[in-house]
Structures are given as structure tokens and as C-alpha cells.
Amino acid sequence: MRLSELFKALGDVTRLRIILALDQGEMCVCDLAAFLGVTESAVSHQLRLLRQLHLVANRRKGPILYYRLDDDHVSQLVHIGLVHIRE
Amino acid sequence: MRLSELFKALGDVTRLRIILALDQGEMCVCDLAAFLGVTESAVSHQLRLLRQLHLVANRRKGPILYYRLDDDHVSQLVHIGLVHIRE
DNA sequence: TTTATATATGAGTATCTGTTCATATATTTG
DNA sequence: CAAATATATGAACAGATACTCATATATAAA
């Protein structure tokens, strides 16, 4: 089911932290890894999933890939979620 | 992490189908089970999780428990999600 | 072209999770 | 109280999943 895949993607702590980080602005893989305190491999694996679901997109600058949120909905989902848990 | 728990709850097909069903109106456990084609036990287990996260609430009418979505955010999340996947 | 840096990917594994099955609790009726 | 119906819950097992580690690819610089 397409919709549950979307929420499942946001339902993992590492992936959600990636999304929250990118909500602040674009970031490359190595900075994401350092910021989150996980290996670059782990981040890369999760970014692939997020990419496939069009939650994130990237642009290349030389050897570096800068990731960003793919569209507004992602940010909207996160923020409504944040409102929900304040209760 | 609180926020990822929320999304994880929506990330399971059975639970999400429960949410989608309740978005149409309240329903009792046995009707939900019949509607979704799963055992009442399975539904009940998932409803407990959804209850703990305040995604659903219930009211008792005799021996029957009618479940409903707990607040607007739930519905909002689902609908934004639906918009996202149409792309 | 060799080396270095940045990222991606596949396989393997340990952990997590959803269902099933048996049983318990609650409410109503006889 | 006994029986019937509706729901909840615990334990156990099968399948899913996120990380690790080794390796591959890509770009840039020497």
C-alpha cells in the first residue's frame, strides 16, 4: 500500500531525523552522518529509500551530493505530526 | 522518539486501514475486523497501539466499543499523505 | 592514470514487529 | 449465577527491517 509506505518511511528514527535535518536546509551525506552520529553507509541506505518515495531529492556539486526535501508535503506532514504529539 | 512512533503507527497496512475506515465514521471492533478481513484479535492489538498514541478513542455502548479517530490531526496527516502520493 | 574523497550498494545478521492461538475480562440476558 | 457475546491481552513464532562490513562507483586532483 502506497500510503503506508510513506508513513513507514517517516516511522524510523534515523530517517525521520534525516527529514528533520533537511527541513532546516540542504545537507550532504557526510555532514548528515556526522550530525546524526551514524555511519555514512547507514545514512546512504536510508536516503535511497527516501529518494525512491520522493521524500528527498539531491543535486550534485562535484563529488558531493546535497540532499533536500523533495516537496512541501513532507514538511507539512512533519509539522502536523509535531502538533499532534503536543497533547 | 515520539514523532517517529506516530508515523510508525500509520506505517502499518492494517493500522492505516483502520484509520482510513474510521475516517469515514465510528465502527466497533467486530465490524472493523469483518470489513478489513482480519481477526478481531489482530484488530484489537492494533487498536491498543493506536489508542496509546491517541490516534483513536472509543465509547462503550453496552458490550460494544465504538472506535473513532481521536482528533483532527490524524485525518489531516492521512489526507496530506494522499496528496503526496499522487505525483 | 593513479590517488583520494564522497557516495552507493549487496549480503549477512541481530533485532524488531504483526499475527495467531489460547485465555482472560466485561457486559448483557436468561 | 450461568451462558453468550464483545473485546482485551500474553506468549510465541515467522517474517520484516536497519545496521554493519566489504566492495563498487563516481568525481576531482595530482
Side-chain angles (χ1 to χ4, degrees), chain B residues 7-58:
Chain B
F7 289 121
K8 185 179 293 180
L10 299 174
D12 171 72
V13 181
T14 302
R15 286 190 297 264
L16 183 56
R17 291 178 68 215
I18 290 173
I19 297 291
L20 290 170
L22 297 182
D23 192 38
Q24 304 299 110
E26 66 178 10
M27 219 182 281
C28 68
V29 178
C30 61
D31 286 349
L32 269 173
F35 179 69
L36 302 178
V38 300
T39 67
E40 299 182 7
S41 177
V43 173
S44 188
H45 274 293
Q46 303 302 358
L47 283 171
R48 171 154 71 149
L49 212 173
L50 295 174
R51 236 185 298 129
Q52 289 168 341
L53 294 172
H54 304 289
L55 292 174
V56 304
N58 60 37

Coordinates of all heavy atoms in Angstrom, one line a residue, chain B residues 7-58:
Chain B
F7 N 4.4 8.2 13.3 CA 4.4 7.8 11.9 C 4.5 6.3 11.7 O 3.9 5.7 10.8 CB 5.5 8.5 11.1 CG 5.3 10.0 10.9 CD1 6.2 10.9 11.4 CD2 4.2 10.4 10.2 CE1 6.0 12.3 11.2 CE2 4.0 11.8 10.0 CZ 4.9 12.7 10.5
K8 N 5.2 5.7 12.6 CA 5.3 4.2 12.6 C 4.0 3.6 12.7 O 3.7 2.6 12.1 CB 6.3 3.7 13.7 CG 6.6 2.3 13.6 CD 7.5 1.8 14.7 CE 8.9 2.4 14.5 NZ 9.9 2.0 15.6
A9 N 3.2 4.2 13.6 CA 1.8 3.6 13.8 C 1.0 3.7 12.5 O 0.2 2.8 12.2 CB 1.1 4.4 14.9
L10 N 1.2 4.7 11.7 CA 0.5 4.9 10.5 C 1.1 4.1 9.4 O 0.6 4.0 8.3 CB 0.4 6.4 10.1 CG -0.3 7.3 11.1 CD1 -0.2 8.7 10.6 CD2 -1.8 6.9 11.2
G11 N 2.3 3.6 9.6 CA 3.1 2.9 8.6 C 2.8 1.4 8.4 O 3.4 0.8 7.6
D12 N 1.9 0.9 9.2 CA 1.5 -0.5 9.1 C 0.2 -0.6 8.3 O -0.8 0.2 8.6 CB 1.4 -1.2 10.4 CG 0.7 -2.5 10.3 OD1 1.4 -3.5 9.8 OD2 -0.5 -2.7 10.7
V13 N 0.1 -1.5 7.3 CA -1.1 -1.5 6.5 C -2.4 -1.7 7.3 O -3.4 -1.0 7.0 CB -1.0 -2.6 5.4 CG1 -2.2 -2.7 4.5 CG2 0.3 -2.4 4.6
T14 N -2.4 -2.7 8.2 CA -3.6 -2.9 9.0 C -4.0 -1.7 9.8 O -5.2 -1.3 9.7 CB -3.4 -4.1 9.9 OG1 -3.0 -5.3 9.2 CG2 -4.6 -4.4 10.7
R15 N -3.0 -1.1 10.5 CA -3.4 0.1 11.3 C -3.9 1.2 10.4 O -4.8 1.9 10.7 CB -2.2 0.5 12.1 CG -1.9 -0.4 13.3 CD -0.9 0.2 14.2 NE 0.4 0.4 13.6 CZ 1.4 -0.5 13.8 NH1 1.3 -1.6 14.4 NH2 2.6 -0.2 13.2
L16 N -3.2 1.4 9.3 CA -3.6 2.5 8.4 C -5.0 2.3 7.8 O -5.8 3.2 7.7 CB -2.6 2.7 7.3 CG -2.9 3.9 6.3 CD1 -3.0 5.2 7.1 CD2 -1.8 4.0 5.3
R17 N -5.3 1.0 7.5 CA -6.7 0.7 7.0 C -7.7 1.0 8.1 O -8.8 1.4 7.8 CB -6.7 -0.7 6.5 CG -5.9 -0.9 5.2 CD -5.9 -2.3 4.7 NE -7.3 -2.7 4.3 CZ -7.8 -4.0 4.4 NH1 -7.1 -4.9 5.1 NH2 -9.0 -4.2 4.0
I18 N -7.3 0.7 9.3 CA -8.2 1.0 10.5 C -8.5 2.5 10.5 O -9.6 3.0 10.6 CB -7.6 0.5 11.8 CG1 -7.6 -1.0 11.9 CG2 -8.4 1.1 13.0 CD1 -6.9 -1.5 13.1
I19 N -7.4 3.3 10.4 CA -7.6 4.7 10.4 C -8.4 5.2 9.3 O -9.3 6.0 9.4 CB -6.2 5.4 10.3 CG1 -5.3 5.1 11.5 CG2 -6.3 6.9 10.2 CD1 -5.8 5.7 12.8
L20 N -8.2 4.7 8.1 CA -9.0 5.1 6.9 C -10.4 4.7 7.1 O -11.3 5.5 6.7 CB -8.4 4.4 5.6 CG -7.0 4.9 5.2 CD1 -6.5 4.1 4.1 CD2 -7.1 6.4 4.7
A21 N -10.7 3.6 7.6 CA -12.1 3.2 7.9 C -12.7 4.1 8.9 O -13.9 4.6 8.6 CB -12.1 1.7 8.4
L22 N -12.0 4.4 10.0 CA -12.6 5.3 11.0 C -12.7 6.7 10.5 O -13.5 7.5 11.1 CB -11.8 5.2 12.3 CG -11.7 3.8 13.0 CD1 -10.9 3.9 14.2 CD2 -13.1 3.3 13.2
D23 N -12.0 7.1 9.5 CA -12.1 8.4 8.9 C -13.5 8.6 8.3 O -14.0 9.7 8.1 CB -11.0 8.6 7.9 CG -10.9 10.1 7.5 OD1 -11.0 11.0 8.4 OD2 -10.7 10.4 6.3
Q24 N -14.1 7.5 8.0 CA -15.5 7.5 7.4 C -16.6 7.6 8.5 O -17.7 7.8 8.2 CB -15.7 6.3 6.5 CG -14.8 6.1 5.4 CD -14.8 7.3 4.5 OE1 -13.8 8.0 4.4 NE2 -15.9 7.4 3.7
G25 N -16.2 7.3 9.7 CA -17.1 7.3 10.8 C -16.8 6.2 11.8 O -16.0 5.3 11.5
E26 N -17.4 6.2 13.0 CA -17.0 5.3 14.0 C -17.5 3.9 13.7 O -18.4 3.7 12.9 CB -17.6 5.7 15.4 CG -19.1 5.7 15.5 CD -19.6 6.1 16.9 OE1 -18.7 6.6 17.7 OE2 -20.8 5.9 17.2
M27 N -16.8 2.9 14.3 CA -17.0 1.5 14.0 C -16.6 0.6 15.2 O -15.7 1.0 15.9 CB -16.2 1.1 12.7 CG -17.0 0.2 11.8 SD -15.9 -0.3 10.4 CE -16.1 1.1 9.4
C28 N -17.3 -0.5 15.4 CA -16.9 -1.4 16.5 C -15.9 -2.3 16.0 O -15.6 -2.5 14.8 CB -18.2 -2.1 17.1 SG -18.8 -3.3 15.9
V29 N -15.3 -3.0 17.0 CA -14.2 -3.9 16.7 C -14.6 -5.0 15.7 O -13.9 -5.3 14.8 CB -13.6 -4.5 18.0 CG1 -12.5 -5.5 17.7 CG2 -13.1 -3.4 18.9
C30 N -15.7 -5.6 16.0 CA -16.1 -6.8 15.1 C -16.4 -6.3 13.7 O -16.0 -7.0 12.8 CB -17.2 -7.6 15.8 SG -18.7 -6.6 16.0
D31 N -17.0 -5.2 13.6 CA -17.3 -4.7 12.2 C -16.0 -4.3 11.5 O -15.8 -4.6 10.3 CB -18.2 -3.5 12.2 CG -19.6 -3.9 12.5 OD1 -19.9 -5.1 12.5 OD2 -20.5 -3.0 12.8
L32 N -15.1 -3.7 12.2 CA -13.8 -3.4 11.7 C -13.1 -4.7 11.2 O -12.5 -4.7 10.0 CB -12.9 -2.7 12.7 CG -12.9 -1.2 12.8 CD1 -12.1 -0.7 14.0 CD2 -12.3 -0.6 11.5
A33 N -13.1 -5.7 12.0 CA -12.4 -6.9 11.7 C -13.0 -7.5 10.4 O -12.3 -7.9 9.5 CB -12.5 -7.9 12.8
A34 N -14.3 -7.5 10.4 CA -15.0 -8.1 9.2 C -14.7 -7.3 7.9 O -14.4 -7.8 6.9 CB -16.5 -8.1 9.4
F35 N -14.8 -6.0 8.1 CA -14.5 -5.1 7.0 C -13.1 -5.2 6.4 O -12.9 -5.2 5.2 CB -14.8 -3.6 7.4 CG -14.5 -2.6 6.4 CD1 -15.4 -2.5 5.3 CD2 -13.5 -1.7 6.5 CE1 -15.2 -1.5 4.3 CE2 -13.3 -0.7 5.5 CZ -14.1 -0.7 4.4
L36 N -12.2 -5.3 7.3 CA -10.8 -5.4 6.9 C -10.3 -6.8 6.5 O -9.3 -7.0 5.9 CB -9.8 -4.9 8.0 CG -10.1 -3.4 8.5 CD1 -9.1 -3.1 9.6 CD2 -9.9 -2.5 7.3
G37 N -11.2 -7.8 7.0 CA -10.8 -9.2 6.7 C -9.6 -9.7 7.5 O -8.8 -10.5 7.0
V38 N -9.6 -9.3 8.8 CA -8.6 -9.8 9.7 C -9.3 -10.2 11.0 O -10.4 -9.9 11.2 CB -7.5 -8.7 10.0 CG1 -6.8 -8.3 8.7 CG2 -8.1 -7.5 10.7
T39 N -8.6 -11.0 11.8 CA -9.2 -11.4 13.1 C -9.5 -10.3 14.0 O -8.8 -9.3 14.0 CB -8.3 -12.5 13.8 OG1 -7.1 -11.8 14.2 CG2 -7.9 -13.6 12.8
E40 N -10.4 -10.5 14.9 CA -10.7 -9.5 15.9 C -9.5 -9.3 16.8 O -9.3 -8.2 17.3 CB -12.0 -9.8 16.7 CG -13.2 -10.0 15.8 CD -14.5 -10.3 16.5 OE1 -14.5 -10.3 17.7 OE2 -15.5 -10.5 15.8
S41 N -8.8 -10.3 17.1 CA -7.7 -10.3 17.9 C -6.6 -9.3 17.3 O -6.1 -8.4 18.0 CB -7.1 -11.6 18.1 OG -5.9 -11.5 18.9
A42 N -6.4 -9.5 16.1 CA -5.4 -8.7 15.4 C -5.8 -7.2 15.4 O -5.0 -6.3 15.7 CB -5.2 -9.1 13.9
V43 N -7.1 -7.0 15.2 CA -7.6 -5.6 15.2 C -7.4 -5.0 16.6 O -7.0 -3.9 16.8 CB -9.1 -5.5 14.8 CG1 -9.6 -4.1 15.0 CG2 -9.2 -5.9 13.3
S44 N -7.8 -5.8 17.6 CA -7.7 -5.3 18.9 C -6.3 -5.0 19.4 O -6.1 -4.0 20.0 CB -8.3 -6.4 19.8 OG -8.4 -6.0 21.2
H45 N -5.4 -5.8 19.0 CA -4.0 -5.5 19.3 C -3.6 -4.2 18.7 O -2.9 -3.3 19.3 CB -3.1 -6.6 18.7 CG -2.9 -7.8 19.6 ND1 -2.2 -7.7 20.8 CD2 -3.3 -9.0 19.5 CE1 -2.2 -8.8 21.4 NE2 -2.9 -9.7 20.7
Q46 N -3.9 -3.9 17.4 CA -3.6 -2.7 16.7 C -4.3 -1.5 17.3 O -3.7 -0.4 17.4 CB -3.8 -2.8 15.2 CG -3.1 -4.0 14.6 CD -1.6 -3.9 14.7 OE1 -1.0 -3.0 15.3 NE2 -0.9 -4.9 14.3
L47 N -5.6 -1.7 17.7 CA -6.3 -0.6 18.3 C -5.7 -0.2 19.6 O -5.7 1.0 19.9 CB -7.8 -1.0 18.5 CG -8.7 -1.1 17.3 CD1 -10.0 -1.7 17.6 CD2 -8.9 0.4 16.7
R48 N -5.1 -1.1 20.3 CA -4.5 -0.7 21.6 C -3.3 0.2 21.3 O -3.2 1.3 22.0 CB -4.0 -2.0 22.3 CG -3.1 -1.6 23.5 CD -3.0 -2.6 24.5 NE -2.3 -3.8 24.2 CZ -1.6 -4.5 25.0 NH1 -1.6 -4.2 26.3 NH2 -1.0 -5.6 24.6
L49 N -2.5 -0.1 20.3 CA -1.4 0.8 20.0 C -1.9 2.1 19.5 O -1.4 3.2 20.0 CB -0.6 0.1 18.8 CG 0.9 0.3 18.8 CD1 1.6 -0.5 17.7 CD2 1.2 1.8 18.6
L50 N -2.9 2.1 18.7 CA -3.5 3.4 18.2 C -4.1 4.2 19.3 O -4.0 5.5 19.4 CB -4.5 3.1 17.1 CG -4.0 2.5 15.8 CD1 -5.1 2.1 14.9 CD2 -3.0 3.4 15.1
R51 N -4.6 3.5 20.3 CA -5.2 4.2 21.5 C -4.1 4.9 22.3 O -4.2 6.0 22.7 CB -5.9 3.2 22.3 CG -7.4 3.5 22.6 CD -7.9 2.4 23.6 NE -7.9 1.1 23.1 CZ -7.4 0.0 23.7 NH1 -6.9 0.2 24.9 NH2 -7.4 -1.2 23.2
Q52 N -3.0 4.1 22.5 CA -1.9 4.6 23.4 C -1.3 5.9 22.8 O -0.8 6.7 23.5 CB -0.9 3.5 23.5 CG -1.3 2.4 24.4 CD -0.4 1.2 24.4 OE1 0.4 1.0 23.4 NE2 -0.5 0.3 25.4
L53 N -1.4 6.0 21.4 CA -0.8 7.1 20.8 C -1.9 8.2 20.6 O -1.6 9.2 19.9 CB -0.2 6.7 19.4 CG 1.0 5.8 19.5 CD1 1.4 5.3 18.2 CD2 2.2 6.6 20.2
H54 N -3.1 8.0 21.1 CA -4.2 9.0 21.0 C -4.6 9.2 19.5 O -4.9 10.3 19.2 CB -3.8 10.3 21.6 CG -3.4 10.1 23.1 ND1 -4.3 9.8 24.1 CD2 -2.2 10.2 23.7 CE1 -3.6 9.7 25.2 NE2 -2.4 9.9 25.0
L55 N -4.4 8.2 18.7 CA -4.9 8.3 17.3 C -6.3 7.9 17.2 O -7.1 8.4 16.4 CB -4.0 7.4 16.4 CG -2.6 7.8 16.3 CD1 -1.8 6.8 15.5 CD2 -2.5 9.2 15.6
V56 N -6.8 7.0 18.1 CA -8.2 6.6 18.2 C -8.7 6.7 19.6 O -7.9 6.6 20.6 CB -8.4 5.2 17.6 CG1 -7.9 5.0 16.2 CG2 -7.8 4.1 18.5
A57 N -10.0 6.8 19.7 CA -10.7 6.8 21.1 C -11.9 5.9 20.9 O -12.3 5.6 19.8 CB -11.0 8.2 21.5
N58 N -12.5 5.6 22.0 CA -13.7 4.8 21.9 C -14.8 5.2 22.9 O -14.5 5.9 23.8 CB -13.4 3.3 22.1 CG -12.8 3.0 23.4 OD1 -13.2 3.6 24.4 ND2 -11.8 2.1 23.5

